[in-house]
Amino acid sequence: MRTRAFVLTQGSLDGVYDRAYIQHLVGGGRQSAISQFAISGSGTVISFCTDATIYQVAHCPPASLLTFDVEADAQAGMWQMKDPVTGTSQGRFSVAEVDGEKIYLSAGTSPGDGSQVLTIGVPTVAGATTFTSTGWSTNGTLDVTNATSTEYKMSMTDAGLQLLDLTLGGWVPQRSIGIYSATQAPNTFFTMRSTRIELLIGARSSAQAGFLHVGIVD
């Protein structure tokens, strides 16, 4: 039986997650970020690696490690990230449990600059495996994906049919075992997945920045 519910107990938030983050800027344009983060201390601390290199959070350079306190929000199932020095709220998030797997979710207006942001975090698992999925993208398409350890092929349907035929890169030392580059010249993406959810996100500072596909693994 498939179950879906928000995590209500703070101690159950802990985990290491691969993060796909897209941002619609106030002045126009889109941006992406691909990284790993961790929730620890029985759900009381959240640490993001903000380095331009996609490090495992355990290998993140100290200057690129951003850490916030986590507190329960007034709304059950929501959690506040707060600056550990000033106590200022840095945003809210929730964690949904899907078939026993925790998925991090955050969306809304950034307190820092007013941009619109969406973040999905999936548990870190080896991602370069064979799977099929169905889902959607921020381009308004319905998507069917077929992936192997070396290829990521996706049919995207809206008014017409678009095809992606991406080549997966190999694992890079100190990068999450679940994050792989996916390229089809001149486009570059990154793919990540858990056992239930797979994501394809446009590379930062590329023509595909701000693109996100979410698929449910069959």
Side-chain angles (χ1 to χ4, degrees):
M1 178 182 294
R2 296 183 177 181
T3 58
R4 299 172 178 84
F6 287 116
V7 174
L8 302 178
T9 304
Q10 190 164 7
S12 299
L13 297 174
D14 283 7
V16 178
Y17 301 82
D18 293 330
R19 180 177 78 144
Y21 169 99
I22 59 172
Q23 179 182 31
H24 285 232
L25 305 173
V26 172
R30 304 185 303 177
Q31 193 51 275
S32 302
I34 301 94
S35 62
Q36 190 181 82
F37 69 96
I39 302 177
S40 60
S42 295
T44 61
V45 177
I46 187 167
S47 301
F48 297 94
C49 187
T50 62
D51 201 275
T53 299
I54 306 172
Y55 288 105
Q56 295 176 40
V57 69
H59 295 288
C60 188
S64 298
L65 193 65
L66 191 62
T67 298
F68 301 113
D69 293 337
V70 177
E71 297 180 7
D73 187 72
Q75 182 177 345
M78 299 292 295
W79 307 91
Q80 289 268 0
M81 294 186 295
K82 293 191 174 181
D83 185 294
V85 176
T86 66
T88 303
S89 176
Q90 302 298 307
R92 303 194 305 167
F93 69 91
S94 60
V95 173
E97 189 168 12
V98 180
D99 297 346
E101 183 172 76
K102 292 181 288 188
I103 307 296
Y104 175 99
L105 302 167
S106 180
T109 303
S110 169
D113 59 14
S115 60
Q116 296 297 308
V117 299
L118 170 66
T119 301
I120 301 177
V122 295
T124 298
V125 298
T129 55
T130 299
F131 67 88
T132 60
S133 75
T134 54
W136 57 271
S137 84
T138 50
N139 287 352
T141 59
L142 298 175
D143 309 328
V144 176
T145 301
N146 290 275
T148 69
S149 61
T150 59
E151 294 181 314
Y152 184 103
K153 297 184 177 184
M154 186 164 68
S155 301
M156 309 168 69
T157 305
D158 47 17
L161 179 64
Q162 307 170 54
L163 300 175
L164 286 179
D165 188 358
L166 306 175
T167 300
L168 295 184
W171 178 73
V172 176
Q174 296 190 339
R175 180 183 290 174
S176 169
I177 59 172
I179 299 177
Y180 291 81
S181 63
T183 58
Q184 180 183 15
N187 297 317
T188 302
F189 302 84
F190 285 89
T191 180
M192 59 188 77
R193 64 161 295 197
S194 65
T195 58
R196 295 293 303 140
I197 304 292
E198 60 92 10
L199 308 172
L200 184 73
I201 180 172
R204 183 176 181 83
S205 301
S206 77
Q208 297 302 321
F211 170 87
L212 178 65
H213 152 85
V214 180
I216 308 298
V217 177
D218 296 337

